[in-house]
Amino acid sequence: MKEKEESKENKRTLRPSPTALLNPRMDVNFKAIFTQETEESNEALKSFLSSILGKEVVKVQISANEPSVDIPSQMQMTFDVSVTFNNGEKADIEMQGQDQKYDFSVRSEIQVARLLNNNAKKGSNWSAEKVYQISVLNFHPSNGDKSELAWYTMKSKNGQTLAEHLNVIFLDLLEIKKLVGTPVSELTPVQKWGLFLSYADDEKHVAYISKIAESEKGIMEAERIVGRMSEEDSNWFRQFSIDTYRRDQNAIREAAIKEGLNEGLKEGLSKGRNEKALETAENLIKMKILTVEQIAQATSLSPEKIQELQKSFAAENK
């Protein structure tokens, strides 16, 4: 019996420490917080949405979405939380834990337009409820706006809004991270959520994040969910696998960029040398004091190229 207990205690685990938490900025973990069929998951979702939208969300239902992903090879799929409010409005919530190196603002406009199109009622008149594309970003959006919470609707140049059916919302974690250490009583609900998502897995800030969770029931429920998920070795395996995949992809992309820059530099130097050689050859041809072979030797151009330049020069000066 004693040997079995010792064996259990010495069991290897992927969890870095007994108190380590999974990264809530990883899309699969983020989605798992809000989409479980439990009261605490629903409470966390309502709290998060209330903080983002600035109004109390009392009832929300998870909408059908893509299947869960278990292996890195499926990383091409998105991980969104799709919800429907009791008034028929819809929201699509996504976590972007790393900069995708493309124009995220354009992508968001297209995403929210699709959401509105899918939510539009069929019939003889124009009728649709509002839709919200909510993106939690661990980088600054491509439009340069560094607000903690940026909310966009369709407006004219003088600020006149349309029907406000299309809503794009960015929660910028990089800006909210700057608030770490701020007294909890001075934080807004959206700042609390931003700090929780930014530092829940950082063991240096355990006490601070616990205080934030104690101040907001929805965040407390989210912390409990992440805590339970972190006890499962399979979740750590999935997180490490996805992280490894992403690191590999980043390394491949950086290597490609570096190779492209090196090739571009070589091409540029070659092009520059060639243009200078042509300029020198043209000047020597105009001077009419060297033979074709001498000019070719001086410029490293072929005799055929020098003859071609001579013909061109003669034609221009007829």
Side-chain angles (χ1 to χ4, degrees):
M1 182 70 179
K2 187 178 179 180
E3 291 179 358
K4 287 184 178 180
E5 289 178 357
E6 289 179 353
S7 176
K8 186 176 181 181
E9 288 177 1
N10 295 328
K11 181 183 176 182
R12 294 186 62 186
T13 175
L14 294 173
R15 193 176 189 182
S17 75
T19 58
L21 296 181
L22 293 163
N23 178 2
R25 295 173 306 287
M26 185 164 284
D27 32 31
V28 288
N29 298 334
F30 177 81
K31 181 175 181 180
I33 293 172
F34 299 115
T35 58
Q36 298 182 34
E37 295 180 355
T38 62
E39 182 58 35
E40 61 185 2
S41 184
N42 188 256
E43 188 68 34
L45 178 59
K46 289 189 294 183
S47 170
F48 177 77
L49 288 170
S50 295
S51 72
I52 296 292
L53 301 178
K55 60 182 180 181
E56 185 179 8
V57 175
V58 296
K59 188 176 180 181
V60 67
Q61 180 180 353
I62 297 293
S63 305
N65 204 346
E66 83 288 336
S68 60
V69 170
D70 296 319
I71 55 176
S73 62
Q74 292 176 295
M75 282 298 296
Q76 72 276 9
M77 299 181 72
T78 59
F79 295 85
D80 298 347
V81 180
S82 297
V83 301
T84 303
F85 299 96
N86 60 331
N87 61 359
E89 295 178 351
K90 290 186 181 296
D92 187 79
I93 313 163
E94 65 176 348
M95 166 62 75
Q96 289 288 337
Q98 64 173 6
D99 194 346
Q100 300 299 321
K101 307 301 181 185
Y102 51 67
D103 195 334
F104 196 82
S105 300
V106 172
R107 175 187 181 278
S108 299
E109 282 189 337
I110 295 172
Q111 291 286 84
V112 76
R114 287 175 176 170
L115 191 58
L116 180 62
N117 183 60
N118 292 336
N119 200 36
K121 296 180 176 65
K122 309 302 179 185
S124 59
N125 61 356
W126 299 105
S127 180
E129 306 300 338
K130 292 182 179 180
V131 294
Y132 307 85
Q133 178 66 37
I134 302 172
S135 299
V136 182
L137 309 179
N138 200 30
F139 54 88
H140 296 308
S142 52
N143 66 350
D145 190 340
K146 294 184 179 180
S147 305
E148 293 175 2
L149 187 71
W151 190 323
Y152 305 93
T153 59
M154 292 183 68
K155 293 184 179 181
S156 66
K157 290 184 177 181
N158 62 8
Q160 188 73 25
T161 61
L162 285 176
E164 297 184 337
H165 276 57
L166 292 162
N167 296 270
V168 173
I169 303 173
F170 294 149
L171 177 61
D172 189 335
L173 295 184
L174 291 191
E175 286 301 305
I176 293 181
K177 281 181 179 179
K178 299 175 183 178
L179 298 172
V180 65
T182 301
V184 175
S185 60
E186 297 178 14
L187 298 171
T188 65
V190 75
Q191 289 170 344
K192 291 178 182 179
W193 267 105
L195 288 169
F196 170 76
L197 294 171
S198 298
Y199 293 108
D201 59 321
D202 188 339
E203 295 196 83
K204 293 183 296 184
H205 298 288
V206 171
Y208 183 64
I209 295 302
S210 292
K211 289 181 180 179
I212 289 177
E214 290 170 3
S215 72
E216 171 58 52
K217 183 180 179 183
I219 297 178
M220 183 180 293
E221 302 293 10
E223 187 180 48
R224 288 173 179 163
I225 293 169
V226 177
R228 279 202 306 275
M229 289 168 53
S230 301
E231 294 173 359
E232 297 294 330
D233 231 36
S234 58
N235 291 328
W236 286 100
F237 175 79
R238 178 172 63 177
Q239 176 168 299
F240 290 149
S241 297
I242 293 173
D243 184 61
T244 299
Y245 172 83
R246 286 180 171 170
R247 287 173 185 268
D248 287 345
Q249 293 304 303
N250 287 338
I252 292 170
R253 179 170 60 189
E254 289 171 6
I257 291 172
K258 185 177 181 180
E259 183 178 348
L261 288 174
N262 289 336
E263 289 301 316
L265 179 60
K266 291 178 184 177
E267 184 179 343
L269 289 173
S270 177
K271 183 178 180 182
R273 285 195 294 267
N274 188 59
E275 289 178 350
K276 185 64 178 177
L278 289 171
E279 181 183 347
T280 301
E282 288 174 355
N283 289 333
L284 293 174
I285 290 170
K286 291 176 184 178
M287 293 172 66
K288 299 181 180 179
I289 57 175
L290 297 178
T291 65
V292 169
E293 288 73 16
Q294 289 172 325
I295 296 175
Q297 186 176 5
T299 60
S300 297
L301 296 174
S302 67
E304 292 76 17
K305 185 62 179 179
I306 301 302
Q307 290 174 339
E308 181 184 328
L309 291 173
Q310 281 182 325
K311 292 178 182 178
S312 178
F313 176 74
E316 290 176 0
N317 290 276
K318 276 186 178 181

